[in-house]
Amino acid sequence: MSKSTGSCQGFLHHVFDYETPKTLIIPSIRVGFVFRFTQFLVLLYVVGYVCVVQKAYQETDSVISTVTTKVKGFAFTNISDMEPRFWDVVDYNIPPQGDGSFFVLTNVVMTPGQTQSRCAELPNPSTICVDDCDCVEGYNDPRGNGIRTGLCENYSSIVKTCEVLSWCPLETDTNLPKRALLAEAENFTVLIKNSITYPKFNFHKRNILSHINSTYLKRCEFNRKTDPNCPIFRLKHIVSEAGEDFQDMAVKGGVLGILIDWSCNLDWWARKCYPKYTFHRLDNKHPVNNVAPGYNFRFAKYYRTAEGEEVRTLIKAYGIRFDVIVFGTAGKFGIVPTIVNLGAALSFLSLVPMVADWFMLTCMKKRDLYSRQKSTYLVEESEVESACLKNP
Amino acid sequence: MSKSTGSCQGFLHHVFDYETPKTLIIPSIRVGFVFRFTQFLVLLYVVGYVCVVQKAYQETDSVISTVTTKVKGFAFTNISDMEPRFWDVVDYNIPPQGDGSFFVLTNVVMTPGQTQSRCAELPNPSTICVDDCDCVEGYNDPRGNGIRTGLCENYSSIVKTCEVLSWCPLETDTNLPKRALLAEAENFTVLIKNSITYPKFNFHKRNILSHINSTYLKRCEFNRKTDPNCPIFRLKHIVSEAGEDFQDMAVKGGVLGILIDWSCNLDWWARKCYPKYTFHRLDNKHPVNNVAPGYNFRFAKYYRTAEGEEVRTLIKAYGIRFDVIVFGTAGKFGIVPTIVNLGAALSFLSLVPMVADWFMLTCMKKRDLYSRQKSTYLVEESEVESACLKNP
Amino acid sequence: MSKSTGSCQGFLHHVFDYETPKTLIIPSIRVGFVFRFTQFLVLLYVVGYVCVVQKAYQETDSVISTVTTKVKGFAFTNISDMEPRFWDVVDYNIPPQGDGSFFVLTNVVMTPGQTQSRCAELPNPSTICVDDCDCVEGYNDPRGNGIRTGLCENYSSIVKTCEVLSWCPLETDTNLPKRALLAEAENFTVLIKNSITYPKFNFHKRNILSHINSTYLKRCEFNRKTDPNCPIFRLKHIVSEAGEDFQDMAVKGGVLGILIDWSCNLDWWARKCYPKYTFHRLDNKHPVNNVAPGYNFRFAKYYRTAEGEEVRTLIKAYGIRFDVIVFGTAGKFGIVPTIVNLGAALSFLSLVPMVADWFMLTCMKKRDLYSRQKSTYLVEESEVESACLKNP
């Protein structure tokens, strides 16, 4: 080999001379087997676990969703405290707009004919009085129901309480019926329309699947086994799938989650994208670690008398709030996660020779022979002189 | 080299002796070129695709958002079925709070003067009767409008139907006007205020950009080309950008998504973060695979007569629900994803010598020469005796 | 070594012969130290930063949440413009359902007794007229309050304006009280119940922690220092933590975010999952780059007179909208991210020999000796003949 001194050629040598490691071939089946077996284990993990089980080669995106709901059903109530009354959707479904969270009234404490006026407070240790001196005018008791006027009035024939300025008569919500007023609500149905988008993959879908026809939709009812794709749910069914009893829950109300899981695999070779419905009670029904159990809120219907006075019917509404919660992640083959995971796997493959070397140099009988031929100790210059090396 | 037997020195040797692979330098331009070219391809992929296109060196965070909306406009209706009427925001915008989902009423079926009473059912095959025997008292037909009283009454002069206990008179929503009542709603405008946060990056922004002044905001109107940053949208414009016709959609209602994409690159050298608006119809307008097409809901205004009887005006409201859907992912340089991606790239770089070796040992003329000098077969001890190896 | 010609044995040799790189051992403490130190730095980064600080070995999931709120408190107003009035939750909390977004009314412009009729427009340059010719019949001014009738009427004794068909009398919202009507609202409290789920980890939790008992919940009030886990918040406290003044904000309203951060580490050895509350004002309070500052909306209470005419009380409600925004990411040990991060770290470890080689071949005195013994130039066949190499 002739030595070139041209600097350009030197540079070319520097860039294009290819430096490859010298290797020693060990014709040992045992070492070879350990090497191949370790390689196989790594490949198995990469192909089997990372690719097939975890689908780590996929990019992911979160769902964007819109929900429309429509409740159907009516009920008739005839209890002693109240006039017989017919209830339709407009009466018990609040708010009426039919978005992802809807409320079905099941129990009610009504206080009709409230006006801005004065009346005796509900009796309790802090409101009971003997004469006007016990009642401080203008006092605003956070647990009371109004601003004290400073007078002590008869609440009933046996007890006197401080008079307050408030919406009178005051609401008495202590004797809530043990059985829900709208017990029939368990047979109401709700139609849930849900359309989702995975913006990264430009993928759109509805929970009313394309193979379902309108006739089926008019008569079907969701059932995990027989009708898993019907978007119409009977309230009783929802509550019982959540492991609760409708009549129990209806008395004091609660919050029930209708969870729609849109986890999807959007790879073309395995396209699978269906909504999966599950139901969970979301509020805490246990009385410990709890405050204001159940679910209720107050609202009022405002009227005006012929004389122009404002009157309202106060309604304390107990019921079940259904929250439709849509979640999910879609995965689709993506070049970056694939590369990253392949790269990580390759790193592990590059560990395999270390394992085989270690095995070869510690567990084999001929380890000293292998070691001597594999590794060379640096030879000092003086020794090199006399050595048989012919390097230029 | 003298052999040290001190255990400490032996340990130091074990830890600090540096073992480096012996290499063979091949002065072949072709092999060198294949090596460098493969290296170049890997680097190109890493720099070009992973870093520039996919920005895989970034950490990501999802958007948190709050939306306020305010609809403006009024309309006057004068059709034969109804008294002339003036509609302002309070009349047609339900709910009035102006959150991310608002409804604009466009068509309406009003049933004034409903009271809790008895009336003949709407005629259909299951309600038509000849005498009282056809009507079971207390029967609650899910498709009907009330609880049967057991009587058969005249619905009109020619047909008799079962009497029901319900809110009477019953609503007849079959002859919905073909042209939307509030056709003028297409000229209403909505102001959308949206403020977002990327909590991981402590980044806050509003859709009213800081370079926009109040004077502009008072007169501008969104237009993708001329005013892409104006937060005031004409309803007709929104609907037509979604590929729909407002007057068509207004008759039976629908759900329209106003999607605000806040995908942001928060790296300081390329800070770009503007809202991008797109519009999509979210409900299914096709009559197949559908139930209850369009969008409507019922609500009522409750009154009380001078005699104290409760009366309500039932309103079946058809209209367009606009859902403001805010989504997006922000990316910012992060040390962990950078390291992970660099690591994966390095793994691939470590594959390059394999490619070059394979090329050298299979495609080159001198492959046998290369192979002989690169790989050494293990030499058995007996042979070693007579060999010219001078290792200590 | 005997050469086998059997093809099966040849294949076995091909598969199971183990090829290991030949190495040169350099007994130099300095090179060894550079090698070990670089290795140590990489390991430090992997263990210290990636694992401990960034927890990159974790899989993550986003939170799913449901919120219930309940406002408490009442107020009494007695100002000159309005009758003395008592306000309870039903009057000032809109919508009443108690979901994640609730509104507390603090200021109000009431316009009682509106009917569908005709009245003179509010005076401004475009509505003032001299005679009927100035008013075009049917003209619908987007900034006006109704449809012009074509007449010019006396607005007051000194100014005439065009008459419009509208809900009359018109609202005049220009003289908004400088001090909020419901200044007392700052002492109202809100109970926030929040239950969350991480579906990937099947993890459920409530913001009312399990070690809190009901007695405590009845009297506690959130305070970052003394009661960080109490779910009852005084409105004034929320607003002041957001850096705002309640009385200031109450006049024109605003939007206030109650952010609940549920970032959790679900690894069993470090399980930590508590809600962290922060408060931010979400709307823009600065008058520049703004339109319609504050937060208000209009709603109406509809009545019917004894003669059957529809009358409404129009209410322009100013107040604070509280948006409960729940966010967070849970992390838990996951095999795939662990492998990916380990793989990336290994890639960097495989770089360490390159660093050490570079150091050895450029910075050491004996670099030529090392270089000569490490790398061998390819020896051409002719030279090989005469060389002392004993390869088979």
Side-chain angles (χ1 to χ4, degrees):
Chain A
M1 191 183 166
S2 68
K3 282 194 182 173
S4 139
T5 48
S7 74
C8 175
Q9 210 171 347
F11 173 78
L12 276 178
H13 267 291
H14 189 75
V15 172
F16 286 111
D17 274 4
Y18 176 59
E19 200 168 348
T20 183
K22 285 188 160 187
T23 55
L24 175 73
I25 295 171
I26 314 255
S28 156
I29 291 284
R30 289 179 66 192
V31 173
F33 178 77
V34 165
F35 176 66
R36 293 293 172 198
F37 184 71
T38 320
Q39 248 181 356
F40 172 76
L41 282 186
V42 172
L43 283 177
L44 192 74
Y45 156 78
V46 172
V47 174
Y49 187 76
V50 176
C51 291
V52 176
V53 180
Q54 294 279 351
K55 297 195 175 50
Y57 57 84
Q58 289 187 330
E59 285 186 293
T60 58
D61 193 15
S62 291
V63 74
I64 284 174
S65 137
T66 192
V67 172
T68 312
T69 57
K70 194 159 202 150
V71 184
K72 269 202 178 162
F74 43 78
F76 183 76
T77 60
N78 194 356
I79 57 166
S80 53
D81 294 0
M82 209 191 261
E83 285 175 32
R85 194 183 159 93
F86 171 82
W87 299 78
D88 68 0
V89 177
V90 176
D91 296 316
Y92 65 69
N93 184 24
I94 307 149
Q97 290 86 15
D99 52 15
S101 178
F102 61 96
F103 170 81
V104 172
L105 183 143
T106 53
N107 214 351
V108 84
V109 174
M110 276 205 190
T111 314
Q114 285 193 328
T115 56
Q116 296 259 348
S117 53
R118 290 148 177 252
C119 48
E121 258 284 15
L122 302 178
N124 73 47
S126 71
T127 57
I128 290 173
C129 58
V130 179
D131 58 27
D132 295 356
C133 303
D134 294 341
C135 300
V136 182
E137 192 184 337
Y139 176 65
N140 177 335
D141 179 5
R143 309 237 180 144
N145 294 289
I147 316 286
R148 298 216 175 149
T149 59
L151 303 179
C152 185
E153 296 285 329
N154 289 322
Y155 177 76
S156 63
S157 55
I158 51 165
V159 65
K160 292 180 91 176
T161 58
C162 290
E163 192 193 54
V164 287
L165 198 105
S166 184
W167 284 98
C168 291
L170 298 175
E171 180 193 79
T172 48
D173 59 355
T174 45
N175 51 352
L176 186 70
K178 279 282 175 297
R179 179 172 153 73
L181 179 71
L182 263 81
E184 294 173 61
E186 66 182 22
N187 286 321
F188 296 167
T189 57
V190 59
L191 162 68
I192 298 178
K193 290 196 204 173
N194 175 215
S195 92
I196 59 120
T197 300
Y198 284 109
K200 203 192 269 181
F201 306 129
N202 197 22
F203 180 84
H204 306 267
K205 194 144 187 178
R206 294 193 172 82
N207 70 330
I208 301 181
L209 303 171
S210 54
H211 63 81
I212 293 180
N213 63 39
S214 311
T215 335
Y216 174 73
L217 288 176
K218 264 172 200 141
R219 53 163 193 77
C220 77
E221 195 183 305
F222 176 82
N223 183 300
R224 198 168 293 287
K225 282 180 188 154
T226 58
D227 297 76
N229 292 321
C230 177
I232 298 167
F233 302 83
R234 192 166 292 267
L235 299 193
K236 186 182 184 174
H237 186 80
I238 293 178
V239 175
S240 76
E241 282 241 347
E244 304 286 329
D245 178 66
F246 191 93
Q247 294 305 333
D248 254 26
M249 200 167 169
V251 177
K252 290 210 143 194
V255 183
L256 214 138
I258 300 173
L259 281 74
I260 309 184
D261 182 359
W262 276 98
S263 292
C264 289
N265 182 353
L266 299 181
D267 289 323
W268 58 263
W269 61 85
R271 182 162 288 211
K272 221 172 33 177
C273 199
Y274 300 107
K276 279 174 285 297
Y277 303 95
T278 48
F279 310 97
H280 280 290
R281 184 167 186 169
L282 298 173
D283 63 319
N284 183 4
K285 67 173 172 172
H286 301 294
V288 259
N289 321 326
N290 205 350
V291 61
Y295 182 73
N296 63 69
F297 61 86
R298 287 182 181 86
F299 67 98
K301 292 175 187 166
Y302 293 84
Y303 308 99
R304 209 166 266 277
T305 62
E307 298 82 41
E309 197 192 13
E310 196 172 14
V311 183
R312 74 179 194 186
T313 297
L314 177 66
I315 296 154
K316 183 169 184 182
Y318 294 81
I320 304 178
R321 193 177 87 188
F322 293 88
D323 283 354
V324 182
I325 298 174
V326 180
F327 67 102
T329 309
K332 196 175 186 176
F333 174 81
I335 196 74
V336 167
T338 307
I339 292 291
V340 165
N341 277 283
L342 271 185
L346 284 175
S347 296
F348 283 92
L349 278 182
S350 76
L351 277 192
V352 171
M354 287 195 210
V355 173
D357 279 2
W358 171 85
F359 176 80
M360 180 180 85
L361 299 176
T362 54
C363 306
M364 297 292 287
K365 267 190 204 158
K366 297 186 182 172
R367 55 179 174 261
D368 292 328
L369 171 68
Y370 295 156
S371 176
R372 267 199 303 280
Q373 295 198 19
K374 176 177 164 59
S375 308
T376 321
Y377 247 84
L378 184 78
V379 187
E380 289 297 328
E381 205 74 332
S382 51
E383 303 175 51
V384 172
E385 302 288 285
S386 61
C388 182
L389 289 157
K390 288 285 189 319
N391 294 344
Chain B
M1 192 180 165
S2 66
K3 282 197 182 173
S4 141
T5 48
S7 76
C8 174
Q9 210 171 347
F11 173 77
L12 276 178
H13 268 293
H14 190 74
V15 172
F16 286 109
D17 274 3
Y18 176 59
E19 199 168 348
T20 183
K22 284 188 160 186
T23 56
L24 174 73
I25 295 171
I26 313 257
S28 155
I29 291 285
R30 288 178 66 192
V31 173
F33 178 77
V34 165
F35 176 65
R36 294 294 173 196
F37 183 71
T38 321
Q39 248 180 354
F40 172 76
L41 282 186
V42 172
L43 283 176
L44 191 75
Y45 156 76
V46 172
V47 174
Y49 187 75
V50 176
C51 292
V52 176
V53 179
Q54 294 279 352
K55 297 195 175 51
Y57 58 83
Q58 289 188 330
E59 285 186 293
T60 58
D61 193 15
S62 291
V63 73
I64 285 175
S65 137
T66 190
V67 172
T68 312
T69 56
K70 195 160 201 147
V71 183
K72 269 200 177 162
F74 43 78
F76 183 76
T77 59
N78 194 355
I79 55 166
S80 53
D81 294 0
M82 207 191 264
E83 285 175 33
R85 195 183 158 95
F86 171 81
W87 300 78
D88 67 1
V89 177
V90 176
D91 296 315
Y92 64 69
N93 184 24
I94 307 150
Q97 290 86 15
D99 51 15
S101 178
F102 61 95
F103 171 81
V104 172
L105 183 143
T106 53
N107 215 350
V108 81
V109 175
M110 277 206 189
T111 316
Q114 284 193 327
T115 56
Q116 297 260 347
S117 53
R118 291 149 176 252
C119 48
E121 259 282 16
L122 302 179
N124 72 46
S126 72
T127 57
I128 290 172
C129 58
V130 178
D131 58 27
D132 295 355
C133 304
D134 295 341
C135 300
V136 182
E137 192 184 337
Y139 176 65
N140 176 336
D141 179 6
R143 307 236 181 145
N145 294 288
I147 317 288
R148 297 217 175 147
T149 58
L151 303 179
C152 186
E153 296 285 327
N154 289 324
Y155 176 76
S156 64
S157 55
I158 50 165
V159 65
K160 289 180 93 176
T161 58
C162 290
E163 192 194 53
V164 287
L165 197 105
S166 183
W167 285 98
C168 290
L170 298 175
E171 180 193 78
T172 48
D173 60 354
T174 44
N175 51 351
L176 185 71
K178 279 284 174 296
R179 179 173 153 73
L181 179 72
L182 263 82
E184 294 174 62
E186 66 181 23
N187 285 320
F188 296 168
T189 57
V190 59
L191 162 68
I192 298 177
K193 289 194 205 175
N194 174 215
S195 91
I196 59 119
T197 301
Y198 284 108
K200 201 192 270 181
F201 307 129
N202 196 25
F203 180 85
H204 305 268
K205 194 142 186 179
R206 294 194 171 82
N207 71 330
I208 301 181
L209 303 171
S210 54
H211 63 80
I212 293 181
N213 63 38
S214 311
T215 335
Y216 173 73
L217 288 175
K218 264 171 199 140
R219 54 164 192 78
C220 77
E221 196 183 304
F222 176 83
N223 184 299
R224 199 168 293 284
K225 282 181 188 153
T226 59
D227 297 74
N229 293 319
C230 177
I232 299 167
F233 302 82
R234 191 166 294 267
L235 300 193
K236 186 182 183 174
H237 186 82
I238 294 178
V239 175
S240 76
E241 282 241 346
E244 303 288 328
D245 178 66
F246 191 94
Q247 294 305 333
D248 253 26
M249 200 168 170
V251 177
K252 290 210 144 195
V255 183
L256 213 138
I258 300 173
L259 281 76
I260 309 185
D261 181 0
W262 276 99
S263 294
C264 289
N265 181 355
L266 299 181
D267 289 322
W268 58 261
W269 62 84
R271 182 162 289 212
K272 225 175 28 179
C273 199
Y274 300 108
K276 278 174 285 301
Y277 303 96
T278 46
F279 310 98
H280 280 290
R281 184 166 186 170
L282 298 173
D283 63 318
N284 183 3
K285 67 173 172 171
H286 301 293
V288 260
N289 320 326
N290 205 349
V291 62
Y295 182 72
N296 64 70
F297 60 88
R298 286 183 181 84
F299 66 99
K301 292 176 187 166
Y302 293 84
Y303 307 98
R304 210 165 265 279
T305 62
E307 298 82 41
E309 198 191 13
E310 197 173 14
V311 183
R312 73 178 194 186
T313 298
L314 176 66
I315 296 154
K316 182 169 184 181
Y318 293 81
I320 305 177
R321 192 175 88 189
F322 293 88
D323 284 353
V324 182
I325 298 173
V326 180
F327 68 101
T329 309
K332 196 175 184 176
F333 174 81
I335 196 74
V336 167
T338 307
I339 292 292
V340 165
N341 276 284
L342 272 185
L346 284 174
S347 296
F348 284 91
L349 278 181
S350 75
L351 278 191
V352 172
M354 288 194 208
V355 173
D357 279 4
W358 171 86
F359 176 80
M360 181 178 85
L361 299 176
T362 54
C363 307
M364 296 291 287
K365 264 188 206 160
K366 297 186 181 171
R367 55 179 175 262
D368 293 328
L369 170 68
Y370 296 156
S371 176
R372 268 200 302 281
Q373 296 199 18
K374 176 175 163 61
S375 309
T376 320
Y377 248 85
L378 185 79
V379 186
E380 288 298 330
E381 206 74 334
S382 51
E383 302 174 53
V384 172
E385 302 287 287
S386 62
C388 180
L389 289 157
K390 289 285 190 319
N391 294 346
Chain C
M1 192 184 163
S2 67
K3 283 195 182 176
S4 141
T5 49
S7 75
C8 175
Q9 209 171 346
F11 173 77
L12 276 177
H13 268 292
H14 190 76
V15 172
F16 286 110
D17 274 3
Y18 177 59
E19 198 169 348
T20 183
K22 285 187 159 187
T23 56
L24 173 73
I25 294 171
I26 313 257
S28 156
I29 291 286
R30 289 178 67 192
V31 173
F33 178 79
V34 165
F35 177 65
R36 292 296 173 196
F37 183 72
T38 320
Q39 248 181 354
F40 171 77
L41 282 186
V42 172
L43 283 176
L44 192 75
Y45 156 77
V46 172
V47 175
Y49 188 75
V50 176
C51 291
V52 177
V53 179
Q54 294 280 349
K55 299 196 173 49
Y57 58 83
Q58 290 188 330
E59 284 186 293
T60 58
D61 194 14
S62 291
V63 73
I64 285 174
S65 138
T66 191
V67 172
T68 312
T69 56
K70 195 162 201 148
V71 183
K72 268 200 177 162
F74 43 78
F76 183 76
T77 59
N78 193 356
I79 56 166
S80 52
D81 294 1
M82 209 190 262
E83 284 174 35
R85 194 183 159 94
F86 171 82
W87 300 77
D88 67 1
V89 177
V90 176
D91 297 316
Y92 63 71
N93 185 23
I94 307 149
Q97 291 86 14
D99 52 15
S101 178
F102 61 95
F103 170 80
V104 172
L105 181 143
T106 53
N107 215 352
V108 82
V109 174
M110 277 204 187
T111 314
Q114 285 192 328
T115 56
Q116 297 259 348
S117 53
R118 291 150 177 251
C119 48
E121 259 282 17
L122 302 178
N124 72 47
S126 71
T127 57
I128 290 173
C129 58
V130 179
D131 58 27
D132 295 357
C133 304
D134 295 342
C135 301
V136 183
E137 193 184 336
Y139 176 64
N140 177 336
D141 178 6
R143 309 233 180 148
N145 294 289
I147 316 287
R148 298 215 175 149
T149 59
L151 303 180
C152 185
E153 295 284 327
N154 289 323
Y155 176 75
S156 63
S157 56
I158 51 164
V159 66
K160 291 180 93 173
T161 57
C162 290
E163 194 194 50
V164 287
L165 198 106
S166 184
W167 284 99
C168 290
L170 298 175
E171 180 192 79
T172 48
D173 59 356
T174 45
N175 51 352
L176 186 70
K178 279 283 174 296
R179 180 172 152 73
L181 179 71
L182 264 82
E184 294 173 62
E186 65 181 24
N187 286 320
F188 297 167
T189 57
V190 59
L191 162 68
I192 298 177
K193 290 196 203 173
N194 175 216
S195 91
I196 59 120
T197 301
Y198 283 108
K200 202 192 270 180
F201 307 129
N202 197 22
F203 180 85
H204 305 268
K205 193 143 190 178
R206 292 193 174 82
N207 71 330
I208 300 182
L209 302 172
S210 54
H211 63 81
I212 292 182
N213 63 38
S214 311
T215 335
Y216 173 74
L217 287 175
K218 263 170 201 142
R219 53 163 193 78
C220 77
E221 196 183 305
F222 176 83
N223 183 301
R224 199 167 293 285
K225 282 180 187 155
T226 59
D227 297 73
N229 293 320
C230 177
I232 298 167
F233 301 82
R234 191 166 292 269
L235 299 194
K236 186 183 183 174
H237 186 81
I238 293 178
V239 175
S240 75
E241 282 239 347
E244 302 288 328
D245 178 66
F246 191 93
Q247 294 305 332
D248 254 26
M249 201 166 168
V251 177
K252 290 210 143 193
V255 183
L256 214 137
I258 300 174
L259 281 74
I260 310 185
D261 181 0
W262 276 98
S263 293
C264 288
N265 181 353
L266 300 181
D267 289 323
W268 58 263
W269 61 85
R271 182 163 287 211
K272 224 174 30 177
C273 200
Y274 300 108
K276 279 174 286 299
Y277 303 96
T278 46
F279 310 98
H280 280 290
R281 184 167 186 169
L282 299 173
D283 63 318
N284 183 4
K285 67 173 172 172
H286 300 294
V288 259
N289 321 326
N290 205 350
V291 62
Y295 182 72
N296 63 70
F297 60 87
R298 288 183 181 84
F299 67 98
K301 293 176 188 166
Y302 293 83
Y303 308 98
R304 210 166 264 277
T305 61
E307 299 82 40
E309 196 192 14
E310 196 172 14
V311 184
R312 74 178 193 186
T313 297
L314 176 66
I315 295 154
K316 183 169 183 181
Y318 293 81
I320 304 177
R321 192 175 88 189
F322 293 87
D323 283 354
V324 182
I325 298 173
V326 181
F327 67 101
T329 310
K332 197 175 185 176
F333 174 82
I335 197 73
V336 167
T338 307
I339 293 292
V340 166
N341 277 284
L342 273 185
L346 285 175
S347 296
F348 284 92
L349 278 181
S350 76
L351 277 192
V352 172
M354 287 194 209
V355 174
D357 279 3
W358 171 85
F359 177 79
M360 181 180 84
L361 298 176
T362 53
C363 307
M364 296 291 289
K365 266 190 205 159
K366 298 185 182 173
R367 56 180 175 262
D368 292 328
L369 170 68
Y370 296 156
S371 176
R372 269 198 301 279
Q373 296 199 18
K374 177 176 163 60
S375 309
T376 320
Y377 248 84
L378 185 79
V379 186
E380 289 297 329
E381 205 75 332
S382 52
E383 303 175 53
V384 172
E385 301 288 285
S386 61
C388 182
L389 290 157
K390 288 287 191 320
N391 295 345

